[in-house]
C-alpha cells in the first residue's frame, strides 16, 4: 500500500470537531486574535513558584522575529531544524518560528554526563535528517560534543531580523512564505532506543490539527482552563498534550523544566494549588512517588486541589492500586474522585488518543487500569498476532489503529514504515490488548521493550551490548520487563547464560554479574532490578533461534525461576562477605541512603559491604555525597572520603572523625576494588591528579585482583603538592610497597600517569623487585614537549574538558579567549560555561575549581622538567586515537619510542575510543577485556630470568 493510499484510508470519515485550519500557524494566530490576554507562563527550578507570562500575541511576535532571523541564516522548507533548547521560553518561540514558516522541526534534549552517547545521537540525527540546522543556546553550544559536519547555530548568533520583522508584513517575507499544507511534515519526533537506531516519526500539520480537535472535544478544554507541563519537549505528550492542545483552545498554560518537579515531587501539587491548574499530564511513576510523600505530610498541610479537573497519565501502565492510592490520599485536599485519567498514546498517534474517563470505578479489582475509549476519528481493532485476522470482543491480540491523527511513517526509513502498517493501512502499535464494548485494555507488548519511568528502552539494543561481554554465552541474553506486586513502574530483568568455566566458579560468576550490571548502568542509565544467570537449557528458543522474552517474563512472574533468583541472592551475599547489621543511628541512616541510591531494601545493606561492590559508579559517588549532605547537614564528606571509606561502617566512622575535626593523613593509595587473590594492579592518575576515571574500570576486576588507584597530593586542606617529579614517583613507590611489600608488581598509568608509572617501576626494579606488568595508557615516554605547550590556561581548560564542563570542540578556542583575563576571571569564565547540573554533580564552585586547577598546573610543571632515562624490563602500551593526528602516526612516531626504555620489545595493544574516552561508558567494557587479558598473560609468564 502506498503512503497516499494509507493517508486516504486513515482520513475516512468526518474530521473531528468540524472544519479545521489548514496549518498549525493558524492555531497561534487564532489564539492571538481571540484571547490576547492569555498565553504561556514560564517557570524554572531556580524559582519554582514564580512564573512569567508571555501572551499569545507576544509569542507570535517573537516567533515571527525568530523566523526572519532563521531565514537569514539559511533555514527554509527544504531543510529541517533540530531544536536543542531546554528552557521553555527559548524552545516555544523557536518552535513557532518554524511552524509559521512551514519549516519541519525535530526536538532534541542534551545527553549530559555521557558525551559519547550524545555525540552518537547527534551524528545519527545529522545523517537521518539529511544535515539539519541545529539551533541551540550559547551555554549548551559550549557543551556539545564534536560531531564532524554538524551545522550548529545559537539563538544568540542568529543574524538580526531586519526592519519590520515580527510585524507580519512583507518585510520578513521569503520565497517559501505561505501556509503549509495539511500533508506537510510539521514535526519529526525521535523514538526511544539507542542513540544510533532511533527513528523519526513524521507528524504532519493535518495529523496534529486533527489530534488537537479530537483531544479538546474529549477533555472539554476551554479558554478558562489553566494547564501545567513539566516534561521535556522531546516527549510527544509535553509538546502536544500540554502545549498545542491548550493553545488550540486559548487556555493559559504553565511551562516549567523537568528539574522543577523531579527534584521535589511535592512541587507538582504545590504548582496545581498555587496557579489553580485545571488539567495536567504526568507519567505514572510520579503518582507512585507522590503517594509516599503525601503519607509523610504533616497534619494541617495547606493544599487545595479542588481546581484540578483531570490528570492525564500515560507513557506506561497504570496500576489500579497506585491510581486509587493517589486519589484516596489527596481526597482530603479536594481532589475529585474522577480526576485521574489513565490514557494511551504514542508518538505515532500524536500522543494521547485513548482516554479512560471511567477510572477508578470501572477498574476496581483489576491489577492495571484500562486505557479507555478512543477519541472521535480514531479507529481501534484487535488482530491475531499470527494471521492478522480481526478479533472480536474480549479476545487478546495486537492493537491496531487508524485515523487522521496517525502518522504515515518514519523519515528516511522505508523498511520501518512498511513494517509498521498492515496491508490495509492500519498502524501496528506492537501492544497486546483486548476490547470490551469499545473499551481498550492493554495486556502486554508484542514488541520487545522495557518502559521504566515512562521511557521506552528496546531489549535488542541492550542485548547487543551484553552479548559481547566476556563470560557470556553468545546469543543467550534476554532483557525483558517485569513488574513486582505493588511496583509503580516496570523493572528490568536481564537473564543470561554464563560460559561453563564461569558458571562453575562462584567468584567468576559474581564478577560477571557486576560486569553485566555495570554495562546496563552505563548504557541505559539505570540499574537492572534482577540479574538472572540461567543454564542454556532454561532459555526457550523459536525455530529461528529467537528467545521469546514474553514467555520468560511469564515464567519469572509465575515463580518458575524462584530457585535461581534465590541462588543469585545467596551468592551475592556470600561474595560481599555475608550480612552484617548496621549499628547505631548513623550507620542505619547511611544504610537507608545506600538503599535509596541502589533502589533496594535498606534491610539488605550490610554494614561492611563496599559501595563499589554494591554497584556504585563514579556518578553515584557524587549522588551519595549529596544525599549525605542533606541527611547530615554540615557533614557532607569529600569525594576522597567515599573512595577510601566505601562501606557504611567505614563511612560512618569517617563522618564521625570529620565532625571531631580529626585530620586524615595523606595516603596516595585509593582502594577501588579489594577482592581477589591475583597480583594487585596499581594505576597512576592522569594529569588532573584525580582517580575517579578508574572507578568504573575497577569493577571488572572484582574477585580477580585488587585494584588500587594512586591519587596526587594536595587535594585536602594542609596537603602540600609534590615539589618534584622524583618526589612524586618515590612517594608512590613507597605507598605501593606499603600495600604490597614484594613483587611481582603490576603498575599502569593513564596519560600523564604513564610517565610516573615508568619511574615507579624503575625504583622498584632498582630495589631488586620484579615488575611483571607495566602499562602505558596512551602516553609516549617524552612528555616535556606537551607539558611545555600547557600554560595555566591550557591546563585549566583541559581540566574543564576532562570534567565535561566544556566540549572538546569549544575547548580548542578557549585558551586564546581567556589569556587576556586575570586568573580568577579565567576560571570564573570557565565555570560560567558549564551546566549548573554538572557543577552540582561535581560539587564544584570557584574556590574548589581554582584549587584543582592549580594542583593540575603544578603537576604539569613537574612534567616540564621530566626527561625519561634508564629502562625497565618490559611494557605494554595501550593506544587509542590521540589528541591530535592519526592513530597510526601516533603509534609510529611517538608511542614506539618506549622501545628505547625497555629491555624487551614493548607490546602494543590497539584499544577503541579516543584519548579522553578510552575508559568512558562506551568503551570501558572493551578496554577492560583487553587489559585483563594482557595482565593475565604478563603475570602468568613462568620465565625464571626476571
Amino acid at each position: 500500500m502506498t503512503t497516499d493510499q494509507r493517508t486516504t484510508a486513515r482520513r475516512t470519515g468526518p474530521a473531528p470537531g468540524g472544519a479545521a485550519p489548514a496549518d498549525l500557524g493558524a492555531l497561534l494566530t487564532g489564539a492571538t486574535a481571540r484571547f490576547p490576554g492569555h498565553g504561556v507562563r514560564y517557570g524554572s527550578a531556580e524559582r519554582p513558584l514564580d512564573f512569567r507570562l508571555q501572551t499569545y500575541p507576544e509569542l507570535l511576535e517573537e516567533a515571527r522575529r525568530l523566523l526572519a532571523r532563521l531565514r537569514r541564516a539559511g533555514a527554509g522548507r527544504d531543510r529541517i531544524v533540530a531544536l536543542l533548547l531546554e528552557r521553555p521560553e527559548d524552545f516555544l518561540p523557536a518552535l513557532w518560528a518554524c511552524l509559521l514558516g512551514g519549516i519541519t522541526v525535530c526536538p532534541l534534549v542534551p545527553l549530559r554526563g555521557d558525551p559519547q552517547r550524545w555525540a552518537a545521537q547527534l551524528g545519527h540525527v545529522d545523517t537521518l535528517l539529511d544535515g539539519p540546522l541545529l539551533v541551540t543556546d550559547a551555554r549548551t553550544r559550549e557543551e556539545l560534543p564534536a560531531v564532524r559536519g554538524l551545522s550548529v547555530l545559537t539563538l544568540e548568533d542568529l543574524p538580526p531580523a531586519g526592519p519590520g520583522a515580527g510585524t507580519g508584513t512583507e518585510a520578513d517575507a521569503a520565497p517559501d512564505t505561505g501556509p503549509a499544507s495539511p500533508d506537510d511534515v510539521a514535526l519529526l519526533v525521535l523514538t526511544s532506543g539507542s542513540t544510533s537506531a532511533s527513528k523519526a516519526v513524521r507528524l504532519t500539520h493535518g495529523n496534529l490539527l486533527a489530534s488537537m480537535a479530537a483531544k479538546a472535544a474529549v477533555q472539554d478544554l476551554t479558554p478558562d482552563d489553566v494547564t501545567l507541563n513539566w516534561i521535556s519537549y522531546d516527549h510527544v505528550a509535553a509538546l502536544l498534550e500540554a502545549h498545542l492542545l491548550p493553545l488550540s483552545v486559548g487556555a493559559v498554560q504553565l511551562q516549567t523544566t523537568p528539574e522543577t518537579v523531579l527534584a521535589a515531587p511535592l512541587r507538582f501539587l504545590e504548582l496545581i494549588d498555587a496557579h489553580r491548574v485545571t488539567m495536567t499530564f504526568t507519567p505514572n511513576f510520579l503518582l507512585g512517588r507522590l503517594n509516599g510523600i503525601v503519607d509523610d505530610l504533616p497534619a494541617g498541610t495547606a493544599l487545595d486541589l479542588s481546581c484540578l479537573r483531570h490528570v492525564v497519565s500515560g507513557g506506561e501502565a497504570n496500576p489500579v492500586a497506585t491510581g486509587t492510592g493517589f486519589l484516596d490520599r489527596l481526597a482530603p485536599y479536594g481532589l475529585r474522585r474522577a480526576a485521574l485519567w489513565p490514557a494511551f498514546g504514542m508518538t505515532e498517534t500524536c500522543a494521547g488518543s485513548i482516554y479512560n474517563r471511567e477510572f477508578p470505578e470501572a477498574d476496581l479489582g483489576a491489577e492495571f487500569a484500562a486505557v479507555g475509549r478512543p477519541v472521535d476519528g480514531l479507529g481501534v481493532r484487535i488482530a491475531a498476532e499470527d494471521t492478522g485476522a480481526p478479533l472480536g470482543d474480549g479476545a487478546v491480540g495486537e492493537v491496531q489503529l487508524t485515523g487522521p491523527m496517525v502518522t504515515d511513517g518514519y523519515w528516511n526509513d522505508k523498511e520501518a514504515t512498511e513494517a509498521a502498517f498492515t496491508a490495509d493501512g492500519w498502524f501496528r502499535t506492537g501492544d497486546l490488548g483486548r476490547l470490551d464494548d469499545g473499551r481498550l485494555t492493554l495486556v502486554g507488548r508484542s514488541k520487545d521493550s522495557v518502559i521504566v519511568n515512562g521511557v521506552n528502552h528496546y531489549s535488542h539494543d541492550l542485548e547487543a551490548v551484553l552479548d559481547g561481554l566476556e563470560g557470556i554465552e553468545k546469543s543467550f541474553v534476554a532483557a525483558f520487563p517485569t513488574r513486582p506486586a505493588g511496583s509503580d513502574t516496570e523493572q528490568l530483568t536481564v537473564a543470561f547464560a554464563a560460559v561453563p568455566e564461569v558458571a562453575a566458579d562462584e567468584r567468576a560468576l559474581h564478577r560477571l554479574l557486576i560486569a553485566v550490571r555495570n554495562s546496563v548502568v552505563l548504557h541505559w542509565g539505570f540499574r537492572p532490578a534482577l540479574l538472572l544467570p540461567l543454564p542454556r537449557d532454561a532459555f526457550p528458543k523459536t525455530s529461528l533461534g529467537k528467545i521469546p522474552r514474553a514467555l520468560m517474563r511469564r515464567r519469572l512472574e509465575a515463580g518458575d525461576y524462584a530457585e535461581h533468583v534465590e541462588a543469585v541472592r545467596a551468592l551475592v551475599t556470600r561474595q560481599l562477605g555475608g550480612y552484617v547489621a548496621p549499628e547505631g543511628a548513623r550507620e542505619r541512616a547511611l544504610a537507608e541512603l545506600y538503599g535509596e541510591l541502589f533502589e533496594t531494601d535498606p534491610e539488605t545493606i550490610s554494614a561492611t559491604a563496599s559501595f563499589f561492590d554494591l554497584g556504585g559508579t563514579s556518578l553515584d559517588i557524587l549522588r551519595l555525597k549529596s544525599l549525605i549532605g542533606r541527611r547530615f547537614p554540615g557533614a557532607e564528606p569529600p569525594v576522597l572520603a567515599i573512595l577510601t571509606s566505601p562501606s557504611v561502617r567505614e563511612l560512618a566512622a569517617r563522618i564521625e572523625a570529620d565532625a571531631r575535626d580529626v585530620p586524615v593523613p595523606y595516603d596516595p593509595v585509593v582502594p577501588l576494588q579489594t577482592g581477589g587473590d591475583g597480583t594487585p594492579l596499581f594505576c597512576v592518575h592522569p594529569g588532573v591528579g584525580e582517580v575517579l576515571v578508574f572507578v568504573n574500570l575497577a569493577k571488572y576486576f572484582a574477585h580477580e585482583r585488587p585494584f588500587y588507584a594512586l591519587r596526587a597530593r594536595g587535594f585536602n586542606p594542609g596537603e602540600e603538592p609534590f615539589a618534584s617529579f622524583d618526589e612524586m614517583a618515590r612517594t608512590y613507590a613507597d605507598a605501593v610497597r606499603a600495600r604490597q611489600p614484594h613483587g611481582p608488581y603490576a603498575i599502569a598509568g593513564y596519560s600523564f600517569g604513564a610517565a610516573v608509572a615508568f619511574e615507579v617501576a624503575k625504583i622498584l626494579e632498582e630495589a631488586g623487585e620484579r615488575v611483571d606488568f607495566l602499562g602505558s595508557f596512551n602516553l609516549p615516554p617524552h612528555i616535556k614537549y606537551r607539558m611545555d605547550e600547557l600554560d595555566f590556561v591550557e591546563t585549566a581548560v583541559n581540566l574543564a574538558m576532562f570534567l565535561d564542563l566544556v566540549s572538546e570542540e569549544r575547548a580548542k578556542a578557549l585558551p586564546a579567549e581567556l589569556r587576556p583575563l586575570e586568573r580568577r576571571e579565567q576560571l570564573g569564565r570557565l565555570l560560567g560555561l558549564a551546566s549548573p547540573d554538572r557543577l552540582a554533580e561535581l560539587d564544584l564552585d570557584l574556590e574548589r575549581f581554582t584549587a584543582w586547577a592549580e594542583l593540575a598546573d603544578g603537576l604539569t610543571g613537574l612534567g616540564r622538567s621530566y626527561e625519561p632515562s634508564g629502562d625497565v624490563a618490559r611494557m605494554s602500551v595501550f593506544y587509542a586515537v590521540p589528541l591530535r593526528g592519526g592513530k597510526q602516526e601516533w603509534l609510529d612516531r611517538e608511542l614506539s619510542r618506549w622501545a628505547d626504555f625497555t629491555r624487551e620489545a614493548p607490546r602494543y595493544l590497539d584499544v577503541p575510543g579516543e584519548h579522553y574516552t578510552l575508559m568512558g561508558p562506551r568503551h570501558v567494557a572493551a578496554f577492560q577485556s583487553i587489559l585483563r587479558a594482557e595482565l593475565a598473560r604478563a603475570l602468568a609468564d613462568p620465565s625464571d630470568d626476571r
Side-chain angles (χ1 to χ4, degrees):
M1 189 178 220
T2 67
T3 297
D4 288 341
Q5 290 172 325
R6 190 178 296 121
T7 301
T8 301
R10 288 200 318 278
R11 289 184 181 161
T12 302
D23 75 330
L24 290 165
L27 294 184
L28 180 55
T29 56
T32 294
R34 290 183 293 147
F35 310 105
H38 291 190
V40 184
R41 296 177 185 167
Y42 298 113
S44 68
E46 290 75 23
R47 303 180 68 181
L49 298 178
D50 185 13
F51 282 68
R52 175 183 66 83
L53 174 66
Q54 182 180 47
T55 65
Y56 289 133
E58 290 168 344
L59 175 59
L60 177 61
E61 182 180 359
E62 184 179 355
R64 282 174 169 164
R65 283 197 303 267
L66 272 174
L67 173 57
R69 296 176 67 195
L70 284 169
R71 283 178 170 152
R72 284 176 175 262
R77 294 189 180 183
D78 58 347
R79 190 180 192 189
I80 296 164
V81 169
L83 293 181
L84 183 58
L85 297 166
E86 292 180 279
R87 298 197 319 157
E89 58 265 48
D90 292 333
F91 178 86
L92 293 180
L95 169 74
W96 280 105
C98 295
L99 294 179
L100 288 167
I103 300 169
T104 301
V105 183
C106 178
L108 300 176
V109 292
L111 298 176
R112 293 191 178 89
D114 194 342
Q116 295 173 60
R117 286 188 69 232
W118 196 1
Q121 180 212 50
L122 293 174
H124 174 62
V125 167
D126 191 50
T127 300
L128 179 66
L129 306 188
D130 306 307
L133 174 64
L134 178 65
V135 177
T136 187
D137 57 79
R139 170 164 287 181
T140 307
R141 179 69 179 86
E142 305 296 343
E143 303 173 67
L144 282 181
V147 176
R148 181 170 297 175
L150 185 66
S151 179
V152 183
L153 276 179
T154 68
L155 290 175
E156 295 83 351
D157 292 336
L158 286 174
T167 63
T169 67
E170 293 301 315
D172 57 333
D176 56 4
T177 299
S181 74
D183 290 330
D184 287 342
V185 177
L187 292 175
L188 291 173
V189 185
L190 298 181
T191 61
S192 305
S194 71
T195 56
S196 59
S198 55
K199 302 186 289 290
V201 180
R202 297 162 47 97
L203 296 178
T204 66
H205 287 258
N207 291 147
L208 294 164
L209 289 168
S211 177
M212 295 310 106
K215 290 176 194 287
V218 169
Q219 297 196 30
D220 299 319
L221 288 185
T222 74
D224 295 327
D225 278 297
V226 178
T227 67
L228 167 65
N229 173 56
W230 57 274
I231 310 292
S232 61
Y233 293 118
D234 64 321
H235 194 299
V236 70
L239 198 53
L240 309 188
E241 204 87 13
H243 174 60
L244 282 186
L245 176 57
L247 182 142
S248 71
V249 300
V252 173
Q253 51 185 286
L254 277 66
Q255 299 284 341
T256 191
T257 57
E259 294 76 20
T260 303
V261 169
L262 292 178
L266 186 62
R267 199 168 285 148
F268 179 69
L269 303 179
E270 293 171 342
L271 288 171
I272 292 170
D273 178 10
H275 296 275
R276 312 313 294 158
V277 171
T278 60
M279 173 271 188
T280 187
F281 166 86
T282 185
N284 177 75
F285 76 87
L286 182 68
L287 304 181
R289 290 190 190 178
L290 286 169
N291 284 346
I293 292 170
V294 171
D295 284 341
D296 296 330
L297 286 180
T301 297
L303 195 64
D304 179 7
L305 305 179
S306 61
C307 56
L308 186 60
R309 190 170 65 251
H310 62 270
V311 181
V312 176
S313 182
E316 56 184 327
N318 285 76
V320 172
T322 302
T324 55
F326 176 77
L327 295 171
D328 291 342
R329 286 173 172 87
L330 293 174
Y333 300 96
L335 186 66
R336 64 192 68 192
R337 181 68 173 172
L340 182 61
W341 292 11
F344 174 79
M346 306 170 66
T347 301
E348 289 87 344
T349 67
C350 296
S353 50
I354 301 174
Y355 298 96
N356 182 355
R357 301 182 63 178
E358 300 158 88
F359 183 85
E361 308 311 327
D363 298 284
L364 297 178
E367 182 180 2
F368 297 104
V371 293
R373 303 181 188 279
V375 297
D376 286 347
L378 181 70
V380 182
R381 73 182 183 188
I382 304 297
E385 284 190 87
D386 49 358
T387 66
L391 301 174
D393 255 21
V396 173
E398 183 185 45
V399 179
Q400 298 177 356
L401 306 173
T402 189
M405 62 288 295
V406 179
T407 182
D408 67 358
Y410 304 98
W411 187 270
N412 277 349
D413 199 332
K414 181 179 179 181
E415 182 179 346
T417 298
E418 291 179 350
F421 291 90
T422 64
D424 57 348
W426 287 66
F427 175 72
R428 306 182 61 186
T429 65
D431 289 280
L432 300 177
R434 69 173 187 273
L435 283 171
D436 298 292
D437 191 25
R439 193 167 184 260
L440 177 64
T441 299
L442 299 181
V443 299
R445 282 189 300 283
S446 59
K447 64 183 179 185
D448 296 303
S449 61
V450 182
I451 302 176
V452 176
N453 290 342
V455 179
N456 210 335
H457 304 269
Y458 292 105
S459 299
H460 63 83
D461 173 42
L462 179 64
E463 290 165 355
V465 172
L466 299 180
D467 204 48
L469 275 183
E470 180 185 1
I472 284 184
E473 288 272 17
K474 302 299 181 188
S475 81
F476 282 87
V477 181
F480 56 89
T482 186
R483 187 188 288 267
S487 175
D488 297 312
T489 190
E490 286 186 344
Q491 298 178 354
L492 171 64
T493 296
V494 178
F496 61 91
V499 297
E501 56 269 28
V502 171
D505 182 340
E506 185 169 292
R507 293 200 304 175
L509 182 57
H510 186 229
R511 184 168 59 249
L512 182 57
L513 286 166
I514 293 171
V516 171
R517 180 183 60 202
N518 198 45
S519 296
V520 174
V521 171
L522 294 176
H523 191 64
W524 274 358
F526 62 87
R527 290 176 181 78
L530 177 63
L531 297 179
L532 191 59
L534 297 171
R536 285 175 54 125
D537 60 11
F539 284 81
K541 287 202 171 186
T542 68
S543 59
L544 297 178
K546 293 185 177 181
I547 298 172
R549 304 179 186 93
L551 175 58
M552 294 195 74
R553 175 178 182 169
R554 290 196 294 273
R555 289 180 176 178
L556 172 68
E557 294 176 347
D560 293 1
Y561 301 136
E563 183 178 337
H564 295 284
V565 172
E566 177 56 29
V568 172
R569 188 200 62 77
L571 179 152
V572 170
T573 300
R574 287 192 300 272
Q575 291 301 314
L576 292 179
Y579 176 77
V580 177
E583 298 176 355
R586 183 174 278 112
E587 285 191 10
R588 287 192 291 272
L590 285 173
E592 290 177 5
L593 296 185
Y594 275 45
E596 179 181 345
L597 187 69
F598 298 126
E599 298 176 348
T600 191
D601 183 356
E603 297 297 322
T604 66
I605 301 293
S606 170
T608 56
S610 168
F611 170 84
F612 302 110
D613 290 341
L614 290 168
T617 67
S618 54
L619 283 179
D620 289 324
I621 293 173
L622 304 169
R623 295 188 186 108
L624 179 60
K625 186 175 183 295
S626 176
L627 287 173
I628 293 173
R630 291 204 296 268
R631 187 64 173 265
F632 303 104
E636 189 170 335
V639 168
L640 181 63
I642 299 172
L643 289 171
T644 57
S645 308
S647 73
V648 163
R649 180 146 295 163
E650 292 169 316
L651 192 52
R654 176 62 185 269
I655 293 173
E656 174 66 24
D658 288 345
R660 291 186 284 110
D661 204 22
V662 177
V664 179
Y666 169 68
D667 182 353
V669 176
V670 178
L672 297 181
Q673 201 292 115
T674 57
D677 300 326
T679 300
L681 174 63
F682 294 86
C683 283
V684 181
H685 59 80
V688 297
E690 186 54 272
V691 297
L692 284 173
V693 69
F694 297 124
V695 168
N696 294 331
L697 176 65
K699 295 177 183 302
Y700 293 94
F701 291 81
H703 309 302
E704 183 176 283
R705 67 183 76 253
F707 190 114
Y708 299 119
L710 292 163
R711 189 175 193 258
R713 191 172 68 197
F715 280 98
N716 292 331
E719 287 181 1
E720 288 293 326
F722 294 117
S724 69
F725 207 93
D726 182 66
E727 180 193 11
M728 176 169 50
R730 293 192 178 279
T731 300
Y732 293 169
D734 290 343
V736 168
R737 297 194 74 176
R739 291 278 175 166
Q740 182 189 344
H742 298 289
Y745 290 102
I747 305 169
Y750 176 30
S751 190
F752 174 93
V756 185
F758 171 71
E759 293 298 324
V760 171
K762 279 170 47 182
I763 292 169
L764 294 173
E765 287 190 351
E766 289 166 1
E769 299 290 352
R770 281 170 40 188
V771 179
D772 283 4
F773 174 81
L774 174 60
S776 166
F777 298 164
N778 213 43
L779 192 88
H782 297 281
I783 64 172
K784 182 179 184 302
Y785 76 94
R786 175 59 179 156
M787 299 298 104
D788 285 338
E789 294 176 352
L790 298 177
D791 58 9
F792 178 81
V793 172
E794 288 270 7
T795 300
V797 169
N798 278 347
L799 174 62
M801 181 169 60
F802 179 82
L803 296 173
D804 291 331
L805 304 183
V806 298
S807 69
E808 182 179 352
E809 184 177 349
R810 183 68 178 95
K812 294 174 183 176
L814 275 173
E817 297 176 19
L818 297 178
R819 283 195 181 95
L821 306 176
E822 296 293 328
R823 177 168 293 192
R824 188 171 180 82
E825 289 182 283
Q826 293 168 344
L827 299 177
R829 181 75 62 85
L830 271 175
L831 285 191
L833 296 173
S835 156
D837 292 341
R838 181 61 176 161
L839 294 177
E841 278 183 346
L842 296 170
D843 191 30
L844 269 187
D845 57 18
L846 184 57
E847 181 181 355
R848 292 186 180 92
F849 185 63
T850 299
W852 198 341
E854 289 176 346
L855 188 149
D857 185 54
L859 292 174
T860 300
L862 300 183
R864 293 191 190 102
S865 63
Y866 178 70
E867 290 284 356
S869 63
D871 57 43
V872 294
R874 58 191 59 82
M875 178 177 279
S876 298
V877 182
F878 299 78
Y879 66 98
V881 175
L883 294 174
R884 292 193 297 265
K887 199 171 187 179
Q888 191 61 46
E889 181 185 19
W890 174 240
L891 174 63
D892 295 341
R893 297 186 59 179
E894 298 292 344
L895 296 177
S896 64
R897 298 175 73 178
W898 279 117
D900 299 334
F901 303 97
T902 56
R903 296 189 291 279
E904 296 177 9
R907 288 172 52 83
Y908 298 98
L909 297 102
D910 189 348
V911 295
E914 300 171 318
H915 185 79
Y916 284 114
T917 66
L918 61 89
M919 280 184 281
R922 185 178 176 188
H923 301 299
V924 66
F927 180 78
Q928 65 84 23
S929 181
I930 296 168
L931 173 59
R932 288 178 53 245
E934 181 63 4
L935 271 166
R937 183 206 62 78
L939 297 170
D941 195 325
S943 299
D944 294 328
D945 58 350
R946 294 191 174 186

